[in-house]
Amino acid sequence: MEYDQQVKNRLRRIEGQIKGVLSMMEQGKDCRDVVTQLAASRNAIDRAMGVIVSTNLEHCVRESIKQGEDTENLVKEAVNLLVKSR
């Protein structure tokens, strides 16, 4: 699968968030603030995974339809992948 620039940019922003959390920890910031930023990072990662899985699913479904194949298993696989990631 080829990943587009938007997904890579999204992950770079997440990387920046994580570095910011580390900086907060080194500065001894309040744990509530650190946990809040960690939760925001986790949510951003979840959204990135959703974008990656949905983009891949769309591509795979289109290819399967072109080849006259059933797409039900592809959808189940994608859902299972997202469920396991949580």
Side-chain angles (χ1 to χ4, degrees), residues 42-86:
R42 180 179 58 202
N43 288 336
I45 290 170
D46 287 344
R47 287 191 304 274
M49 286 189 304
V51 168
I52 290 168
V53 170
S54 67
T55 302
N56 184 57
L57 176 61
E58 181 182 356
H59 173 76
C60 290
V61 166
R62 287 176 196 253
E63 289 299 313
S64 290
I65 289 172
K66 282 182 189 176
Q67 297 174 11
E69 298 173 351
D70 182 38
T71 59
E72 184 178 347
N73 285 336
L74 292 172
V75 174
K76 285 181 181 178
E77 255 186 77
V79 170
N80 286 334
L81 185 59
L82 289 173
V83 168
K84 286 179 184 177
S85 70
R86 287 303 286 156

